[in-house]
């Protein structure tokens, strides 16, 4: 692939867009500049390949394709069938999964599809069975009432948000916490690690229909074999949301007990985080759940996005190449180097380190809230996000943590030496930032002070660090 081809493709695309609405073309160009210039440490972001990006910009976007491959509600889906089947095949092969459903538009959508599939599979309800076999018109008002009561009183046990779980794992402000009777398992206050005995105890007491594993801010490996044993011991369906670490599973960094696919009944993921594909979601499952999962659209989802499924097929093909395993290992090596660099300089990390792609800094040690730290780092050209830490006294809005991750910088080519320099930049900013006060003198959780000269200096150092590792080196828009 010549670099010239990538430049020509993107330049031509922008020229066509500019002829209609130049401000959109300008914004697309500006986004590339911003991404090139910032030290992106958001654990859930990455840079998709030019091939993946280009696969999304075409007329597949125009096609409706509700249903599944070969069984559509619309005519003329033969080419959509081709890309959807390819994406599903790559996903099955990559993850060793019995079934793959590649239509979800996001991770939340994938989780909703999974919840529906488990409910439909597990809830003993004559009304529900009728509702699925085209006898809907036979159902009485009483049947519908019973159906809603049965579906609405099922139980889910998932990791709590402040321990690193995701808001769709039953957090109450999310629909998952409203549609399920939910309980959480947390982490050991002393170590920050999952205490599997406590999870087993909670499962025995609560008897969930679904046990959810997976996280978006837990910096350690999870033993999915043990969680499956816990699920089996109480008759729960075991679901894993591997959105954050799918790339580490794909790259065979997480194997055996730490690979969720052989252990879970159903696995959900996004495709754009460590997996480095287009923005979207996916469900993998055991054969007994496949029929219900395939009903995802139109049961739960709007029309599939064939252009994104085409890009998923491209990205999943990339992830099956040997160099992806090398990439996945480098993500973890880099996270380790970042954690070590921060610890050596005196930072406090949740669980004391990492064995995946992310690090969670408890910034209360710097006298800051997560909100203050996030903004001070952003002023200094370092893009992160604030995040709760376990038992966070500042809640989910201000927080006491900063979550940082290495998938994006690893894609650019930065290695462990640059991670140490990154740790130095982060530590410098956080030690030089001071918490501000409200007008009445009380401590503010949002205001902070950081010398503008220092912020500029760190931003320049960050840019210098990135200069050796250009983003999309094959794309020249000038
Ligand atoms: N927004 C994703 C993350 O940052 O972890 C999860 O939804």
């Amino acid at each position: 692939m010549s670099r010239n081809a990538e430049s020509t493709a993107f330049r031509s695309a922008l020229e066509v867009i500019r002829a209609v609405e130049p401000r959109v073309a300008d914004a697309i160009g500006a986004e590339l500049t911003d991404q090139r210039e910032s030290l992106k440490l958001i654990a859930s972001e990455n840079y998709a390949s030019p091939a993946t990006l280009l696969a999304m910009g075409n007329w597949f976007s125009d096609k409706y394709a509700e249903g599944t491959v070969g069984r559509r509600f619309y005519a003329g889906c033969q080419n959509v069938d081709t890309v959807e089947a390819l994406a599903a095949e790559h996903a099955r092969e990559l993850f060793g999964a019995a079934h793959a459903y590649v239509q979800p538009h996001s991770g939340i959508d994938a989780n909703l599809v999974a919840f529906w599939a488990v409910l439909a599979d597990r809830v003993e309800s004559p009304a529900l069975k009728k509702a699925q076999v085209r006898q809907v018109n036979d159902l009485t008002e009483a049947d519908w009432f019973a159906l809603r009561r049965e579906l609405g009183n099922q139980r889910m046990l998932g990791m709590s948000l402040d321990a690193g779980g995701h808001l769709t794992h039953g957090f109450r402000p999310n629909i998952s916490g409203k549609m399920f009777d939910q309980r959480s398992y947390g982490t050991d206050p002393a170590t920050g690690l999952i205490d599997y005995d406590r999870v087993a105890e909670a499962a025995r007491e609560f008897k969930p229909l679904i046990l959810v594993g997976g996280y978006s801010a837990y910096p350690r490996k999870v033993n999915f074999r043990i969680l499956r044993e816990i699920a089996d011991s109480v008759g729960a369906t075991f679901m894993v949301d591997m959105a954050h670490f799918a790339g580490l599973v794909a790259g065979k960094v997480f194997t055996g007990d730490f690979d969720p696919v052989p252990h879970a009944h159903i696995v959900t993921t996004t495709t754009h985080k460590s997996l480095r594909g287009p923005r979207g979601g996916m469900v993998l499952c055991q054969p007994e759940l496949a029929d219900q999962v395939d009903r995802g659209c139109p049961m739960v989802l709007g029309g599939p996005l064939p252009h994104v499924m085409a890009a998923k097929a491209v990205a999943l093909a990339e992830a099956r190449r040997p160099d992806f395993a090398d990439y996945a290992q480098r993500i973890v090596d880099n996270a380790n180097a970042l954690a070590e660099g921060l610890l050596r300089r005196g930072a406090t990390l949740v669980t004391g380190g990492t064995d995946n792609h992310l690090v969670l800094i408890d910034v209360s040690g710097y006298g800051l809230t997560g909100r203050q730290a996030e903004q001070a780092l952003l002023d200094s050209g370092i893009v992160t996000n604030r995040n709760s830490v376990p038992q966070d006294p500042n809640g989910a809005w201000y927080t006491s943590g900063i979550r940082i991750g290495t998938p994006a910088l690893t894609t650019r080519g930065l290695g462990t030496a640059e991670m140490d320099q990154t740790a130095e930049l982060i530590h410098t900013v956080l030690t030089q930032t001071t918490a501000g006060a409200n007008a009445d003198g009380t401590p503010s959780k949002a205001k902070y002070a950081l010398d503008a000269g220092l912020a500029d200096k760190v931003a320049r150092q960050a840019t210098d660090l990135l200069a050796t590792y250009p983003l999309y080196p094959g794309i020249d828009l000038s």
Side-chain angles (χ1 to χ4, degrees):
M1 159 65 52
S2 82
R3 292 185 164 193
N4 207 20
E6 292 174 4
S7 287
T8 306
F10 284 97
R11 268 199 228 140
S12 303
L14 287 179
E15 193 180 321
V16 173
I17 295 165
R18 180 162 286 110
V20 180
E21 175 48 287
R23 289 169 295 184
V24 171
D26 289 346
I28 294 171
E31 181 61 24
L32 179 59
T33 305
D34 287 354
Q35 294 209 19
R36 279 178 163 159
E37 289 174 0
S38 61
L39 201 65
K40 176 149 97 170
L41 283 163
I42 292 185
S44 48
E45 293 188 6
N46 210 327
Y47 306 107
S49 71
T52 298
L53 296 177
L54 287 168
M56 281 184 281
N58 58 68
W59 30 93
F60 264 135
S61 167
D62 300 334
K63 193 73 194 96
Y64 250 120
E66 289 183 22
T68 49
V69 175
R71 292 174 59 231
R72 304 285 183 186
F73 290 87
Y74 292 82
C77 291
Q78 58 281 4
N79 301 310
V80 178
D81 281 358
T82 300
V83 294
E84 180 168 353
L86 270 171
E89 181 190 327
H90 283 310
R92 284 194 307 273
E93 293 294 323
L94 179 64
F95 292 106
H99 185 73
Y101 181 66
V102 298
Q103 294 188 10
H105 309 162
S106 70
I108 289 183
D109 289 4
N111 284 351
L112 287 172
V113 170
F115 297 156
W116 165 252
V118 177
L119 288 172
D121 181 59
R122 295 287 313 277
V123 173
E124 292 297 327
S125 160
L128 180 60
K129 296 287 174 276
K130 271 192 190 173
Q132 289 197 60
V133 289
R134 300 198 182 89
Q135 296 170 13
V136 175
N137 293 338
D138 299 343
L139 294 177
T140 63
E141 281 306 308
D143 288 333
W144 283 112
F145 182 77
L147 177 55
R148 279 191 287 273
R149 197 183 52 220
E150 284 150 5
L151 287 180
N153 281 296
Q154 299 301 324
R155 293 179 170 180
M156 172 190 287
L157 177 63
M159 195 171 190
S160 67
L161 193 71
D162 72 342
H166 190 254
L167 76 165
T168 55
H169 301 176
F171 187 50
R172 290 214 161 127
N174 180 260
I175 188 164
S176 57
K178 297 179 172 74
M179 65 191 278
F180 286 97
D181 178 8
Q182 192 270 359
R183 295 285 182 282
S184 298
Y185 57 88
T187 46
D188 183 315
T191 62
L193 301 174
I194 294 174
D195 178 341
Y196 295 96
D197 290 339
R198 295 291 300 274
V199 180
E201 196 181 305
R204 268 195 308 276
E205 276 172 14
F206 187 52
K207 299 209 175 4
L209 180 81
I210 307 179
L211 173 67
V212 182
Y215 53 80
S216 55
Y218 180 70
R220 294 292 179 179
K221 288 199 266 199
V222 172
N223 190 315
F224 297 113
R225 177 185 55 77
I226 297 179
L227 288 182
R228 171 63 188 261
E229 284 169 10
I230 294 171
D232 285 348
S233 73
V234 296
T237 297
F238 181 37
M239 168 179 160
V240 174
D241 178 346
M242 65 169 183
H244 261 262
F245 53 93
L248 305 184
V249 178
K252 311 288 181 256
V253 176
F254 286 180
T255 56
D257 293 353
F258 307 105
D259 174 354
V261 179
H263 300 294
H265 297 98
I266 189 159
V267 176
T268 60
T269 186
T270 52
T271 45
H272 52 274
K273 297 188 174 85
S274 54
L275 197 51
R276 207 164 61 180
R279 184 159 295 281
M282 193 162 72
V283 181
L284 309 173
C285 66
Q286 303 289 348
E288 64 270 21
L289 289 170
D291 280 353
Q292 298 299 349
V293 164
D294 280 351
R295 289 172 201 261
C297 171
M299 183 68 76
V300 175
L301 305 171
L305 310 175
H307 55 309
V308 181
M309 291 196 287
K312 286 174 184 170
V314 172
L316 289 163
E318 290 172 342
R320 290 183 67 192
R321 293 179 180 167
D323 62 350
F324 194 86
D326 172 60
Y327 166 64
Q329 185 57 53
R330 284 187 294 113
I331 291 176
V332 176
D333 294 346
N334 278 346
N336 248 300
L338 195 49
E340 289 297 321
L342 287 163
L343 287 170
R344 215 171 37 251
R345 290 169 174 89
T348 303
L349 305 184
V350 173
T351 78
T354 180
D355 40 35
N356 56 24
H357 64 297
L358 70 88
V359 175
L360 193 54
I361 310 173
D362 184 340
V363 293
S364 59
Y366 291 100
L368 301 171
T369 63
R371 167 93 184 249
Q372 290 160 335
E374 177 194 81
Q375 287 303 310
L377 288 166
L378 188 62
D379 291 346
S380 313
I382 302 172
V383 188
T384 64
N385 68 280
R386 64 187 186 278
N387 208 100
S388 301
V389 299
Q391 294 98 43
D392 200 313
N394 288 323
W397 178 251
Y398 292 108
T399 81
S400 303
I402 285 288
R403 186 186 69 165
I404 51 182
T406 52
L409 291 184
T410 306
T411 294
R412 281 185 85 141
L414 280 77
T416 51
E418 290 77 24
M419 291 304 117
D420 193 58
Q421 292 174 55
T422 302
E424 172 66 20
L425 298 182
I426 292 171
H427 182 70
T428 300
V429 173
L430 297 183
T431 46
Q432 297 302 315
T433 304
T434 49
N438 296 313
D440 62 4
T442 56
S444 167
K445 291 185 177 184
K447 293 181 182 160
Y448 63 97
L450 172 65
D451 178 70
L454 182 102
D456 285 349
K457 184 175 162 205
V458 171
R460 277 196 305 280
Q461 288 171 319
T463 310
D464 290 347
L465 193 60
L466 293 171
T468 323
Y469 304 97
L471 177 62
Y472 297 118
I475 301 173
D476 176 4
L477 298 183
S478 59

